[in-house]
Amino acid sequence: MSVVELDRIASEYNNKIEGFQKIIHICTGTGCVSSGALKVFNRLRDAIDSEGLTEKVLVKKTGCHGLCERGPIVVFGNDEILYQTVGKRNVEDDVKLLIATIKDDQIAEKLLYRGDDKTKRYVSTHDIPFYSGQTRLVLALNGIIDPEIIEDYIVHGGYRALVKALSMHRDEIIEWIDKSGLRGKGGGGFPTGVKWRSCKTAEGSPRYVLANGDEGDPGAFMDRSLMEGNPHAILEGMIIGAYAIGSNQGYIYVRDEYPLAVERLSKAIGQAREYGFLGNDIFHSGFDFDIEIFRGGGAFVCGESTALMTSIEGQAGEPRAKYIHTVEKGLREKPTNLNNVETWASVPEIINKGWEWFSSIGTELSKGTKVFSLVGKVNNTGLVEVPMGMTLKEIIFGLGGGIQGGKKFKAVQTGGPSGGCIPEEYLEMPVDFDSLTKLGSMMGSGGMIVMDERSCMVDVARYFLKFLVEESCGKCTPCREGVRRMYEIVDRICSGNGGEGDIEHLEELARAIGLGSLCGLGQSAPNPVLSTLKFFKEEYRIHIEEKKCPAGVCKSLITLHINPEKCTGCMRCASECPVGCITGEKKQVHTIDQTTCIKCGNCYDVCHFDAVTIE
Amino acid sequence: MVEFKINGKQVKAEKGETVLAVAIREGFAIPTLCHHDVLGADGRCRLCVVEVRRGNRKRIVTSCLYPVENSIDVFTESDDVKLVRMTVLELLLARCPFSEVIQYLAKQYGVNTVRYTKDNDKGKCILCNTCVKTCETLVGVAALGMTGKGPLKKVSTPFDEPSDVCIGCGACVVACPTGHIYMEDRDGFRTIWRKKFELARCPACGRYHAPVEQLEFISKKSGVAIDELRICQNCK
């Protein structure tokens, strides 16, 4: 195989699709599929057939486009037109609008993205701030290629990096990765080149390369979208890495809850084998390499490197001490190089464009880009890829379009369940590995949960602790017993039974768990408590001393009232109350029956007149 | 040969030894629960933590697993070590309030109060894995395993049912550091892990001395005739 041959494959595929006058991309990422993208795809195909346009229009199923909040997303041609929420209300009507665009270039105003002020309409993807503010390297082809067609990847430059890498010296590849400044994007931020070199020089054989696709943070779907949207980029990165390190066997560890990722990766592996990108004597270089998929059982801890390896070995997913690094003794006690799927997917472009190009993006110590899943109380929830060093404010208010419902920003939680909450005063903070760690949070795999004024930080800590209690593997005492005791204390505070000394006790316990736990999960498990205590201690104090929840969330500590001076008797709250405890006649003041109120806060959220108060 | 310091004392060790082994040889007391001389360690209980300093870097490690290294400074009683050790003991005492071993260790290391609601469903099990490893590697039957995760993790036979492979030898009972595993010999029968075993009677002294299934297992493994094994150790 050579570049000439790749060009041949590309031009053959191009010949196949060149007859099409229009190409339409329908996002079939998980978010859009759940909003009905497949129905749109099928109906549009039918409509195209019945209009006699089958030979003229190519409809492609692509991976996640990122703007999940506005799905299903349909993009025409080379990002010329972006339609949002297509078929969300009425599939037939929207398909008619799509056909009109296809036939007469008639733009459907109704399906265009609108800005925050709801007046300006954007036609092209490039003009929408959510996209224009991003730098898409890893996600560059997500939304463009059909992840199930290898030729589509090749047409877009795929596997050229592999051809180039196989002509390079193995040490030179590692030097490039080293100099590019690429760091582990699964959360650790460890320099990738250093890891590769240590694994290459470690004694023992065989050597393994592993890809971590066990993403398990609540609200995170970066790895999933990448595996589903561009599986070949991951494979290509792994093959290059395996060649440089001297490995003949790779594994991709994917959580079993991601069936589509498993399906697309399996397909991709099969296609790569057919072309000889995987298998024996790859491109007559004498280098053999193959990849197997390992499906994890869904334990959060299996995203931890040693637990992941124990799991592949067929044991229960429990971590091991890393006093001897896994690059020396990892899977089956052999030298093992584990990188996150996003890290692997960054490799081909570094080889294609050079390390200088990659290291020109990002900050001094954090190079390149990072994909974040931006979720919570932000207007544009979805997947974004930004250069390292972009500020939290730019991400949340620029790309994210600010807080839903015009509410006030309170905090952003980064780094998954064992990350931390960052308050407003640090919004100008650049997002990179080191800055977030300094604030007591972490980059983690890239989850970003935005919280507004209606979020109680003690309750947030309680939520993440509960997750960690359930996901602790239970191997070591501080994590298994300590985290559940932290949960008990925080839960007590939320139910109004907090007492003097609880905060000090939490701080002491958190420190001991951080110091004494076996693996990264336990060591970082106290972060939700420590970071909320650091920035929102007053909120804890009010819960404990005044038995009040300032954000109006902790049910034991709040009562809801209707202010008779503000109530207009619109009856909205009464109709939204799930237990029917609000009574009142039309245009008369309403009242809440405190004995049956379940304090869900629906009335507060729906009242247009600020008449409902939480005390 | 590796040279380093423990609590300021210069010590020598072989490469590959653990800090725990060297510390004990040199006369430093480090408490352990899950560590076993024969079965090794996997760092579960976290009681044997020590502080290892190298230059400006310091970290808390489990001495049962940490391999000796040149020029490290090990501290067995630093403030951080005490914090972790006392926390672990308080947590274990809350989990297993009736374990005499944990009560003793807690007292010895200054844990006088337990600030948590005590568990009453965990018995004396601290999930140290010693019984599981004993059964698998020493006895060779693997009747036990860990199930569940987090607070629901426990040691049990598969599906909590009487195990097909358990031979009732009771090695797990002997190995358990806290005395958690229940075993009872009565009227010629042994009960352990929800399974009832018929005990073999010594033809010489008439004493019940081992489950028939255990003798059959040994006979099969060693080739020694079952009748010979029926004679108890005292009468041999």
Side-chain angles (χ1 to χ4, degrees), chain A residues 298-300 318 321-324 469-478 480-482 484-485 488-489 492 505 508-509 511-513 515-518, chain B residues 42-46 59-62 65-67 80 83-84 87-88 90-92 94-95 115-119 122 126-127 146 148-151 153:
Chain A
F300 177 67
E318 284 184 347
K322 283 201 271 194
Y323 302 141
I324 297 168
V469 168
E470 286 163 9
E471 291 301 338
S472 162
C473 80
K475 180 173 180 176
C476 77
T477 313
R480 182 190 64 235
E481 305 294 334
R484 81 172 160 116
R485 298 305 185 176
E488 283 174 12
I489 299 171
R492 193 164 72 211
H505 186 180
E508 176 200 312
L509 189 52
R511 188 169 152 72
I513 295 169
L515 284 170
S517 291
L518 192 156
Chain B
D42 44 12
R44 284 172 194 267
C45 75
R46 318 304 285 178
R59 62 197 283 215
I60 294 291
V61 303
T62 42
L65 288 170
Y66 200 82
D80 283 348
L83 170 69
V84 175
T87 303
V88 164
E90 186 183 351
L91 291 169
L92 286 180
R95 176 187 171 92
R115 293 167 287 179
Y116 312 106
T117 321
K118 290 175 180 170
D119 290 338
K122 308 282 194 297
I126 57 160
L127 297 169
M146 296 265 193
K149 59 181 164 49
K153 196 177 187 103

Side-chain angles (χ1 to χ4, degrees), chain B residues 61 100 104 115 125 136 140 152 158 180 191 204 225:
Chain B
V61 303
E100 298 81 356
Y104 170 80
R115 293 167 287 179
C125 181
E136 190 177 333
L152 301 175
H180 168 70
T191 310

Side-chain angles (χ1 to χ4, degrees), chain A residues 212 214 300-309 318-320 322 338 518-521:
Chain A
N212 189 346
D214 191 52
F300 177 67
V301 73
C302 286
E304 196 277 340
S305 60
T306 56
L308 184 149
M309 292 172 200
E318 284 184 347
R320 296 190 284 241
K322 283 201 271 194
L338 171 74
L518 192 156
C519 80
L521 190 152

Side-chain angles (χ1 to χ4, degrees), chain B residues 6 24 69 83 94 122 130 154 172 174 195 212 217 228:
Chain B
I6 303 179
I24 288 174
E69 286 176 288
L83 170 69
K122 308 282 194 297
T130 309
K154 63 174 185 178
C172 51
V174 179
K195 192 174 172 185
V212 177
F217 178 80
E228 204 174 312

Side-chain angles (χ1 to χ4, degrees), chain B residues 2-11 19 50-61 66-78 81:
Chain B
V2 176
E3 291 190 35
F4 65 103
K5 280 183 186 162
I6 303 179
N7 295 342
K9 181 185 175 187
Q10 191 75 27
V11 297
V19 166
V50 294
E51 188 169 308
V52 169
R53 288 185 209 164
R54 180 204 286 279
N56 292 329
R57 200 170 167 229
K58 63 173 194 175
R59 62 197 283 215
I60 294 291
V61 303
Y66 200 82
V68 293
E69 286 176 288
N70 274 314
S71 318
I72 53 171
D73 272 318
V74 175
F75 296 89
T76 64
E77 298 290 333
S78 74
V81 169

Side-chain angles (χ1 to χ4, degrees), chain A residues 195-207:
Chain A
K195 200 186 235 184
W196 286 20
R197 188 172 293 120
S198 313
C199 189
K200 178 179 179 274
T201 52
E203 275 176 41
S205 73
R207 275 162 228 280

